Amino acid sequence: MTDIVYTNFSRGFVIEYVKSGETPCSSWLLLPAENLWPEWLRGTLYLLAMVYFFIGIAIGSDVFMCSIEVITSKKRTVVKWDEEKGERVEREVLVWNETVANLTLMALGSSAPEILLSVGETLQRLDGDGTEDALGTFTIIGSAAFNLLIITAICIVSVPSSEAKKIREFGVFLITAAWSMWAYVWMLVVLRWITPGEITMWEAWVTLGYMPLLVFSAYAQDSGWWCHRLCRRSPSTVGVDVQEGSQANVRIVNGGARPRASVFHGPSKELATLEAEKQYASSSNLKNIQEEKSNDMYLRDLESGTHLGRPKVIAPVEEKQSFARARNRFRHAAVRSMLGGKKKSLPPLNQKSTGPPRMAALVDKVRAMQNANADLPPANDDLCGKFTFASPSYSVFESAGTLDIDVLFHRRKPSKSKLRVSDVQNGNLDLVDDGGEEDLITGVVTVDFETRDGSAKRDTEYKFTQGKLVFKDTEWKKSISIPIVNDNQYESDMDFYVILKNATGDSGLGDPSVCRVTIIDDDEPGEFSFEDASYHADLTKGCLVAKVVRSKGSDGIVTIQYTTIDGSGKGSDSIEDFDYKSTSGTLCFKHGEMSQQIVVDINKNSSKKLKNFVITLRNPSLGAKIGDHSACVATIGGDFVQDRIANILEDDEEEDETYGDQFRNAMTVGGDKDEDGNDIPPSNLDYVLHFLTFLWKIVFAFIPPKKTLSGYPAFVLSLAFIAGCTAVVEQLGHLLGCVVGLKTSVSGITIVALGTSLPDTFASRTAAVQDQYADASIGNITGSNSVNVFLGLGLPWVINVMYKYFKNKKLYVATNNLDLSVTVFTSAGAVCIILLILRRKIVGGELGGPRVFKWFCAVFLVFLWISYVIICSLRAYSIF
């Protein structure tokens, strides 16, 4: 038996023949008579359209996350009392707490597709009876299962077998894990036992109310439940910056202090292993503070009035990257690499520092040294007939060329006036000067002068100078000109002396007859760093070339040491049976030389499996500094996507983009750069990715730049764009199920869940390989799953139940498939979390470990996910 269905249009109607008891596919996306097309064609088109819209959602989510990062990076100024300086100092702190930002805006950004899909579907089905499965609900559960089981399995095997990585903020991870398990248990309690198949008003509001409780508990754990703050709070503190202690002598810049806990992310700037190496280099140089004090440290001492014998507490000059942004940076890099985004270029090598100008600092230093003379004891009053220097000390820049020193001959005898009280008038005392005459010494006098070495040596730092000064009858001041040698080589400040001797005529030597001259070195030897964060070995040539660049100065000859450190790749003095040849040495940069290369021999027969090692820079010569990229990752083998992500991550700050920049970037095909910084023509894959994503790039280029008005316009519009895309995906999901007979619950936990989780999969894998800890790869999963339930289900439930309340109706939910799906996932999720805890105890980390054991764990988790999908599918088709 067949039924006839009429569909009326303004210019006609369509007649469809369907089986008795069935209804034709319906959607606001359908074209007229589209149901009459062949089912195989419609199914293929719906599937391809879903994939295409998933790409659009990924690009939109990337824009959305960038706007959130701008919003959460906003700072405010707090005032704190500095005990050592005895004054109030201002400091900028983030307005958004990292944990609160993670579980609110950051969570909304990473889970926006699932949450908006659920909310959009609810708004379209407000008048429904609730007897059908909801695609948004099953997408949230399926995405949680995929993230917890599949992404965790991928991250476990991605870490090399020789190491294990653990979650650093394990306490926060356990709290969010407990909340994630309770979120799904709460669903079972509501749907099965309290009010089976019905959602009441209080149940909906309690579900949504768990969200602030989750944020509060994670924030409390992040803050140590405020116990340590109460112990360390001081009444002299102004503002909120009370978590930082102060040490008695030296505060290590970017070191020592325990980083703040984070719910989602690990403590990585880009490659936290490299940061650890840089911190090690910084701490190892602390022991040289008093033996070799650099100009910059000495300037800080002079500025703060610190005595030379005691180091001053130095405030951190660079803020560490927020943990809340590490995951976002990995996700942003993953999206750009997968979709053919064009890389950012490195800043010019001669880019100036954003700090105070060098010359201004030197001027302040000289001024401070000259002001120190005021503390000297007063000179002898009886200087008549004596030669003295105008000042006991002089300072000169090395680049000045010459120094003029004044020599004085005191010809006038001191005035011998007398003061007496003449009268008292109107209560005032009048002082009267009797005036006494001054005697003048006449005649020609002479004095010899000569330079003497101190720490500065003749002909190296200055030219030896000696001679005789002749003062005629009317002369009382003459100058000595001493040549200063400028060698363009950075050195510590040095001293030499000028003395007066052999005074003739009616003259003698007074105080000061010896003056000290300090030569201040104003050379800038530069800052050294690797040009890229990672380099790939060329197995055809059997070598790896890493480029070291010199910036912010190029004066003098500078040396810097380098060495290789084993990672998953092993090195030795002999390349046979090893991955590379261990290399160490010293780079010598000549005056004005801006770059050099480090060449490491690679075993051409090395396995094509991903292996890596680290090349580090250390021990620069005096005055030189090590830049941000103090080390780089050298990769042997590996894959295309990961290498692109690593290079994208090297840009700490992106330049402010305008509308024009956004459209130019959208129309530009991405490409790579070689070791010399030259552009490599885009590959065929780059062109394919650019073609597939071109429309979406143009569409999202209309969104205001992310830094416009603090990111809020981009936040709102990108959220609206994502909502529109998810609304289309929701309709396509139902149409695909209608055409091919795929149940809504099965479609939600498989196709839709995988499509929304794909960017997170690449981001987590890259974070697992490159990050020092496991927080940025899997530490966020439990918190994200909790937010999905409390916000992704709580908000639609509240909207729906309030709408039904005013309509005098009740909210019913289909539970035939939902209860089993939640039960199976909760059981599998609990097993996964227990497995991660056991791995932490057995192998020392949640990721990596021995080869056999890590693969066993990964296969077991994949087996749990497959079992979950099969069981839920069998229930959906009423097989059991």
Side-chain angles (χ1 to χ4, degrees):
M1 295 293 294
T2 60
D3 294 333
I4 300 177
V5 179
Y6 292 89
T7 305
N8 294 313
F9 297 93
S10 60
R11 294 181 178 272
F13 59 90
V14 175
I15 300 176
E16 299 181 53
Y17 294 93
V18 297
K19 293 182 180 179
S20 180
E22 296 183 359
T23 57
C25 300
S26 61
S27 171
W28 50 266
L29 283 179
L30 285 177
L31 299 174
E34 185 176 325
N35 285 334
L36 304 181
W37 298 1
E39 293 183 348
W40 67 267
L41 176 61
R42 294 171 60 196
T44 303
L45 292 177
Y46 294 152
L47 184 61
L48 293 177
M50 289 182 68
V51 173
Y52 192 69
F53 272 88
F54 283 142
I55 295 175
I57 291 174
I59 298 177
S61 299
D62 182 53
V63 176
F64 185 59
M65 290 293 287
C66 289
S67 67
I68 289 176
E69 185 174 3
V70 173
I71 293 173
T72 56
S73 62
K74 187 177 181 181
K75 297 181 179 181
R76 63 187 178 91
T77 302
V78 297
V79 181
K80 180 181 177 182
W81 180 260
D82 192 309
E83 295 289 350
E84 296 194 8
K85 289 186 178 181
E87 61 183 16
R88 294 181 179 182
V89 295
E90 294 184 351
R91 183 166 180 250
E92 288 188 336
V93 297
L94 292 172
V95 173
W96 282 80
N97 173 269
E98 293 176 14
T99 299
V100 176
N102 284 343
L103 290 176
T104 52
L105 292 182
M106 289 291 182
L108 179 62
S110 61
S111 301
E114 295 94 332
I115 296 174
L116 291 176
L117 178 63
S118 180
V119 173
E121 184 181 34
T122 298
L123 293 176
Q124 296 181 63
R125 300 172 61 179
L126 285 175
D127 293 319
D129 54 9
T131 58
E132 298 180 357
D133 290 331
L135 181 65
T137 301
F138 282 95
T139 298
I140 288 176
I141 301 173
S143 176
F146 184 86
N147 292 342
L148 188 59
L149 300 176
I150 298 299
I151 292 183
T152 300
I154 293 174
C155 292
I156 288 176
V157 298
S158 297
V159 176
S161 301
S162 58
E163 59 179 312
K165 297 182 179 181
K166 63 173 60 176
I167 297 174
R168 186 173 186 179
E169 300 301 336
F170 192 62
V172 179
F173 171 77
L174 291 179
I175 287 181
T176 55
W179 274 108
S180 67
M181 290 296 98
W182 170 247
Y184 292 94
V185 171
W186 170 251
M187 288 182 61
L188 286 176
V189 171
V190 170
L191 297 175
R192 295 275 301 183
W193 294 298
I194 299 180
T195 53
E198 180 184 351
I199 303 297
T200 62
M201 184 180 297
W202 75 268
E203 291 170 342
W205 281 104
V206 167
T207 303
L208 184 61
Y210 280 133
M211 180 68 190
L213 290 180
L214 166 65
V215 175
F216 176 79
S217 61
Y219 174 65
Q221 173 64 28
D222 174 58
S223 304
W225 300 94
W226 299 285
C227 296
H228 68 289
R229 294 193 178 188
L230 293 176
C231 297
R232 295 167 60 178
R233 187 177 297 275
S234 170
S236 61
T237 300
V238 180
V240 299
D241 189 18
V242 296
Q243 70 262 29
E244 289 189 6
S246 119
Q247 298 173 348
N249 292 318
V250 177
R251 180 183 303 158
I252 301 176
V253 177
N254 283 344
R258 176 185 178 272
R260 300 184 58 177
S262 174
V263 177
F264 283 141
H265 313 306
S268 169
K269 183 174 183 181
E270 51 184 35
L271 304 174
T273 305
L274 309 187
E275 286 300 314
E277 174 66 24
K278 184 169 71 174
Q279 289 185 4
Y280 167 77
S282 299
S283 60
S284 64
N285 289 333
L286 283 176
K287 62 182 180 180
N288 299 325
I289 284 181
Q290 296 197 15
E291 289 98 358
E292 295 183 6
K293 179 171 286 192
S294 68
N295 276 351
D296 292 335
M297 186 76 77
Y298 190 51
L299 285 173
R300 293 193 192 107
D301 290 340
L302 292 173
E303 179 184 1
S304 58
T306 307
H307 298 293
L308 296 180
R310 177 175 176 269
K312 177 71 175 177
V313 173
I314 303 170
V317 296
E318 178 179 304
E319 181 181 342
K320 297 179 72 175
Q321 181 189 357
S322 169
F323 299 159
R325 291 158 183 79
R327 173 73 177 186
N328 184 23
R329 295 181 67 250
F330 280 117
R331 195 179 193 277
H332 179 60
V335 172
R336 287 177 57 191
S337 65
M338 288 189 297
L339 305 182
K342 186 172 179 63
K343 298 181 179 64
K344 301 290 183 181
S345 59
L346 288 173
L349 296 180
N350 59 354
Q351 181 178 354
K352 297 298 182 182
S353 172
T354 58
R358 177 75 178 176
M359 292 304 299
L362 291 172
V363 170
D364 292 339
K365 178 177 178 180
V366 173
R367 183 178 302 164
M369 295 177 64
Q370 292 175 345
N371 291 338
N373 295 333
D375 298 331
L376 297 174
N380 189 355
D381 291 336
D382 189 11
L383 292 178
C384 178
K386 293 183 179 179
F387 289 100
T388 65
F389 286 106
S391 173
S393 62
Y394 286 84
S395 301
V396 61
F397 293 136
E398 184 182 286
S399 59
T402 59
L403 170 66
D404 292 331
I405 300 177
D406 292 334
V407 178
L408 307 179
F409 178 62
H410 300 268
R411 290 186 177 276
R412 297 181 182 274
K413 296 181 179 180
S415 174
K416 298 181 180 179
S417 60
K418 297 181 180 179
L419 298 176
R420 62 181 178 82
V421 179
S422 60
D423 196 2
V424 178
Q425 298 177 353
N426 298 327
N428 297 323
L429 293 179
D430 292 337
L431 302 181
V432 179
D433 189 351
D434 286 347
E437 296 183 356
E438 295 181 347
D439 297 330
L440 190 66
I441 299 177
T442 60
V444 177
V445 292
T446 64
V447 66
D448 295 338
F449 64 89
E450 182 178 294
T451 57
R452 297 285 179 88
D453 286 351
S455 56
K457 306 302 180 184
R458 66 166 67 180
D459 299 329
T460 302
E461 312 300 336
Y462 71 96
K463 292 295 185 180
F464 174 75
T465 306
Q466 65 179 357
K468 181 188 294 288
L469 295 178
V470 179
F471 289 75
K472 298 180 180 179
D473 290 342
T474 59
E475 293 178 333
W476 60 276
K477 181 174 72 171
K478 283 185 175 294
S479 296
I480 301 172
S481 182
I482 303 176
I484 305 298
V485 178
N486 185 12
D487 55 7
N488 292 323
Q489 185 66 39
Y490 185 87
E491 298 166 319
S492 299
D493 295 346
M494 297 184 180
D495 300 328
F496 68 93
Y497 300 91
V498 184
I499 65 171
L500 299 177
K501 62 180 183 179
N502 302 330
T504 61
D506 188 12
S507 64
L509 298 179
D511 187 19
S513 60
V514 177
C515 78
R516 182 183 68 182
V517 178
T518 301
I519 302 177
I520 300 175
D521 193 293
D522 55 356
D523 294 318
E524 295 185 12
E527 185 176 282
F528 296 84
S529 61
F530 286 100
E531 186 176 42
D532 295 318
S534 65
Y535 292 89
H536 235 82
D538 187 343
L539 294 180
T540 60
K541 296 181 179 180
C543 68
L544 181 143
V545 180
K547 189 174 183 180
V548 180
V549 295
R550 182 183 193 180
S551 60
K552 301 179 183 178
S554 60
D555 292 335
I557 300 175
V558 180
T559 61
I560 187 169
Q561 297 177 1
Y562 65 91
T563 187
T564 56
I565 301 175
D566 285 351
S568 57
K570 304 301 179 183
S572 176
D573 294 336
S574 174
I575 201 172
E576 296 181 2
D577 300 328
F578 288 90
D579 299 308
Y580 71 98
K581 184 176 181 180
S582 297
T583 306
S584 61
T586 302
L587 297 178
C588 183
F589 286 76
K590 298 178 181 179
H591 176 66
E593 189 174 8
M594 301 303 296
S595 66
Q596 286 199 22
Q597 293 181 339
I598 299 174
V599 180
V600 181
D601 293 333
I602 304 296
N603 189 346
K604 294 183 179 180
N605 299 322
S606 178
S607 171
K608 293 185 178 180
K609 180 182 175 182
L610 173 67
K611 294 183 179 180
N612 55 52
F613 60 94
V614 176
I615 309 175
T616 65
L617 300 177
R618 59 180 64 189
N619 298 332
S621 55
L622 182 64
K625 299 178 182 178
I626 295 180
D628 290 337
H629 293 167
S630 61
C632 69
V633 172
T635 305
I636 306 172
D639 58 68
F640 170 75
V641 172
Q642 179 180 316
D643 186 46
R644 290 185 60 133
I645 293 175
N647 282 292
I648 291 174
L649 281 171
E650 73 181 41
D651 291 328
D652 295 334
E653 294 290 339
E654 293 185 358
E655 297 179 356
D656 295 346
E657 286 186 332
T658 63
Y659 265 117
D661 295 331
Q662 291 185 166
F663 281 99
R664 278 190 292 272
N665 292 337
M667 298 181 183
T668 303
V669 183
D672 292 325
K673 291 181 179 293
D674 58 18
E675 286 81 358
D676 297 325
N678 300 318
D679 290 329
I680 299 177
S683 63
N684 293 333
L685 179 60
D686 289 324
Y687 283 107
V688 171
L689 294 175
H690 179 70
F691 173 78
L692 292 176
T693 61
F694 180 76
L695 177 62
W696 292 119
K697 290 179 180 180
I698 295 297
V699 169
F700 285 102
F702 283 97
I703 295 177
K706 63 182 181 181
K707 292 190 177 181
T708 301
L709 298 179
S710 301
Y712 289 102
F715 175 87
V716 175
L717 290 181
S718 59
L719 188 64
F721 273 69
I722 297 172
C725 291
T726 55
V728 175
V729 168
E730 186 265 338
Q731 293 294 309
L732 290 173
H734 286 294
L735 289 175
L736 180 64
C738 178
V739 171
V740 303
L742 187 64
K743 297 293 184 179
T744 300
S745 60
V746 179
S747 176
I749 65 175
T750 54
I751 298 176
V752 183
L754 268 63
T756 57
S757 300
L758 187 61
D760 288 325
T761 304
F762 283 95
S764 294
R765 181 181 180 275
T766 304
V769 174
Q770 296 186 359
D771 209 23
Q772 185 179 4
Y773 298 95
D775 299 69
S777 54
I778 64 172
N780 73 304
I781 293 176
T782 53
S784 179
N785 289 348
S786 304
V787 173
N788 279 347
V789 173
F790 298 146
L791 194 59
L793 291 184
L795 184 58
W797 282 357
V798 168
I799 294 173
N800 209 338
V801 77
M802 295 305 296
Y803 178 83
K804 304 265 186 211
Y805 173 78
F806 289 105
K807 293 284 187 177
N808 294 320
K809 297 180 180 180
K810 294 182 179 180
L811 175 59
Y812 295 101
V813 178
T815 60
N816 291 336
N817 300 321
L818 185 59
D819 56 356
L820 180 64
S821 179
V822 174
T823 302
V824 175
F825 166 69
T826 304
S827 303
V831 172
C832 177
I833 293 174
I834 293 173
L835 177 64
L836 292 177
I837 296 175
L838 292 177
R839 284 181 51 83
R840 185 182 182 92
K841 298 296 182 182
I842 297 174
V843 301
E846 290 81 6
L847 305 182
R851 179 182 180 85
V852 176
F853 184 62
K854 76 175 185 180
W855 276 101
F856 168 79
C857 295
V859 171
F860 177 68
L861 293 179
V862 173
F863 169 77
L864 290 179
W865 182 77
I866 295 176
S867 300
Y868 161 75
V869 173
I870 292 176
I871 294 173
C872 294
S873 300
L874 293 176
R875 166 61 74 87
Y877 289 96
S878 302
I879 296 179
F880 76 88

